[in-house]
Amino acid sequence: PGGRLGPSLAVACLAVVSILSKHKTHIMRNRLRRLDALPENTAEQVGHQENAFLEVLQWRTLVPSLEDWISMFTQRVNVLSDGLFEFQILLAQQTAAHLAQDLLISSAADPQHTPCQFARALVASCLAHMDVVDSHRLRPEDVDENEWQDLHIQALGAPDSSFGGLLDVTVLLGALGCNLGQLQQACLVALSRLRAAAPLRGMLLV
């Protein structure tokens, strides 16, 4: 009522803040010192709620983010390709990280498509966009070739073929830790969502 949070929601929010504050810098902890000044009964409620959250999370509070996965996968690709595409991989990492923000902002949370899966798709799609990876190898069998090409352009813009030099897809799969079918489906989902989000970032080309 009156725009104020109910007691249960307020306690839940404080519990989340308490969990996060334990993994932040001392500056963040100093800013959150008010948690120590809570009334005793409220502090006890927050503690119980914090434990409940941690049990649901199976005490895993430092789960890699989408950008963490992108960074890790691009490092793997660079190592397994003996640094032959280091510059292109760096650009792919930067582009994928930028697209990740658009993907997260424009898409609702989906437990069936994890940050790890989206990171694989973004890294592979960005490398294909620069002609480092053959984009046709990323196409699911049930998707028409022309439709796949249009999807790439509408999601990422016109491809850049100035780099040349194809990276063996088996090297890419080894770096991303998945099989070709899994990567194809992940790319389809990610590109479809990026295409839907393209008008929001002014990248849609028709």
Side-chain angles (χ1 to χ4, degrees), residues 99 125-126 129 151-158 191 194 201 203:
L99 292 172
S125 297
C126 288
H129 186 67
L151 177 60
H152 259 273
I153 293 175
Q154 293 168 351
L156 302 177
L191 290 174
L194 286 172
R201 64 179 189 270
M203 290 182 59

Side-chain angles (χ1 to χ4, degrees), residues 140-152:
E141 293 182 1
D142 57 347
V143 177
D144 177 77
E145 187 171 340
N146 291 330
E147 180 184 350
W148 182 248
Q149 185 175 358
D150 289 343
L151 177 60
H152 259 273

Side-chain angles (χ1 to χ4, degrees), residues 52 76 98 109 117 123 125 136 145 154 160 164 169 172 176 186 189 200 205:
R76 288 182 181 178
H98 175 74
Q117 292 170 323
V123 170
S125 297
H136 299 290
E145 187 171 340
Q154 293 168 351
D160 184 352
V169 72
L172 179 65
L176 300 182
V189 172
L200 300 177
L205 302 179

Side-chain angles (χ1 to χ4, degrees), residues 58-77:
Q58 298 180 340
W59 296 85
R60 294 175 299 178
T61 58
L62 294 178
V63 179
S65 67
L66 181 51
E67 290 193 10
D68 290 334
W69 283 112
I70 289 171
S71 177
M72 181 174 65
F73 285 143
T74 50
Q75 289 179 42
R76 288 182 181 178
V77 174

Side-chain angles (χ1 to χ4, degrees), residues 89-127:
I89 291 169
L90 176 60
L91 288 181
Q93 179 179 349
Q94 294 172 345
T95 304
H98 175 74
L99 292 172
Q101 299 301 316
D102 295 331
L103 200 61
L104 292 173
I105 291 172
S106 62
S107 302
D110 183 356
Q112 299 202 1
H113 299 98
T114 65
C116 177
Q117 292 170 323
F118 277 131
R120 286 172 177 151
L122 289 174
V123 170
S125 297
C126 288
L127 289 172

